[in-house]
Amino acid sequence: MLDYVSWSPKERISRGRLKITENIWFYKCHFTDEGMMPGVLQTETMLQTIVASLCYEYSINAKNCLINKTSSDFFNKIQGPGYIDTFAEISEEH
């Protein structure tokens, strides 16, 4: 789903980016009168960025990872063209 993912090993941060266009598929079927990006797809972009961080940092297969805490805040509706930028940081290990 993401168009771009980068990894900064020094800061242990990944950045993901999704470009949204006016004719992206979910605008036509999610609240058709006022199309918007579903929250579950927003969460998916965040999770893909987190998994990319783990894969970059540990060179492992993502199916062997356990993500035990995430948080997200939704401040506004996502409508129309633009970009979603997501960031993930590996803050501690157990």
Side-chain angles (χ1 to χ4, degrees), residues 47 50-51 54-55 58 60-70 90 92-94:
L47 290 173
I50 291 168
V51 170
L54 295 171
C55 290
Y58 301 109
I60 56 175
N61 187 332
K63 71 179 181 181
N64 295 324
C65 297
L66 174 64
I67 301 167
N68 64 8
K69 183 180 179 187
T70 65
I90 298 176
E92 63 181 76
E93 303 171 29
H94 294 282

Side-chain angles (χ1 to χ4, degrees), residues 6-45:
S6 66
W7 171 246
S8 175
K10 187 181 273 187
E11 292 87 20
R12 299 175 78 193
I13 294 174
S14 269
R15 177 178 178 231
R17 177 171 262 202
L18 173 64
K19 181 179 180 181
I20 299 177
T21 61
E22 282 285 344
N23 60 356
I24 199 159
W25 68 270
F26 48 77
Y27 283 165
K28 295 176 182 137
C29 58
H30 191 68
F31 296 114
T32 56
D33 292 339
E34 190 179 3
M36 68 182 72
M37 184 174 189
V40 69
L41 294 179
Q42 296 174 48
T43 303
E44 178 63 24
T45 64

Side-chain angles (χ1 to χ4, degrees), residues 77-94:
K77 296 185 272 187
I78 295 178
Q79 296 178 296
Y83 294 93
I84 295 178
D85 290 315
T86 56
F87 301 89
E89 177 184 9
I90 298 176
S91 58
E92 63 181 76
E93 303 171 29
H94 294 282

